[in-house]
Amino acid sequence: MDARKIAAPQVPDLPSASWTNGWRIGQEVVMSGMTGHPATRQAAEQGQPLGAYEQTLVVLRKLEALVAAAGGHRHNIVKTVVYLTDIADKDEVGRARKDFFEGHYPCSTLVAVSALVFPELKVEIDAWARLDVDLRAATQP
């Protein structure tokens, strides 16, 4: 099976990292958890922290960039796991997902966690995509 590391300029792999942002394995794309960093850090330093809605959109755009670098698009994303530091933000995350996925939603798990790697982070999402699946064409019961 063909496996290759995904490289997207919007989501650079850090030279010091002990992980990879994404792999394309055949028609599957597996992506590490993404956060809104460094945009979240910059906004917090300017006294304008990003809320859960804004952070979720930043993260989803990073995942989209990785899928695009693998040869796909946002509607190839078939599964996400969303980690929230405050479960009360679930509605804002849901609103961002609705705006981003435009009614063609991947499977999803939502988990409340005590903290993420930086204190200003509210949301982290990891995801899987299939380049041979377009959720816009999925059949509905």
Side-chain angles (χ1 to χ4, degrees):
M1 177 157 299
D2 177 43
R4 70 176 172 94
K5 187 175 175 178
I6 301 168
Q10 306 91 321
V11 191
D13 277 315
L14 301 174
S16 61
S18 59
W19 70 90
T20 298
N21 285 329
W23 285 98
R24 178 178 173 170
I25 304 166
Q27 293 298 309
E28 184 173 11
V29 181
V30 181
M31 293 164 279
S32 291
M34 295 288 125
T35 69
H37 185 78
T40 49
R41 171 75 46 87
Q42 294 161 353
E45 288 172 350
Q46 295 170 3
Q48 300 172 335
L50 299 179
Y53 175 85
E54 294 82 12
Q55 285 193 31
T56 302
L57 288 178
V58 170
V59 173
L60 291 171
R61 288 182 192 121
K62 285 183 172 184
L63 293 169
E64 179 180 36
L66 288 168
V67 174
H73 52 77
R74 73 176 66 182
H75 297 294
N76 296 128
I77 298 172
V78 295
K79 169 75 173 156
T80 62
V81 179
V82 180
Y83 305 91
L84 285 179
T85 58
D86 184 349
I87 200 67
D89 288 332
K90 67 181 176 49
D91 292 338
E92 287 300 293
V93 170
R95 185 168 65 95
R97 288 171 48 85
K98 285 180 181 180
D99 291 347
F100 184 80
F101 287 112
E102 303 164 338
H104 307 283
Y105 308 117
C107 296
S108 186
T109 301
L110 178 68
V111 181
V113 297
S114 61
L116 295 171
V117 68
F118 300 121
E120 68 274 4
L121 295 175
K122 296 174 172 281
V123 181
E124 183 166 339
I125 304 174
D126 56 35
W128 295 261
R130 294 279 318 186
L131 300 177
D132 55 351
V133 171
D134 185 330
L135 292 183
R136 294 172 296 185
T139 58
Q140 303 284 331

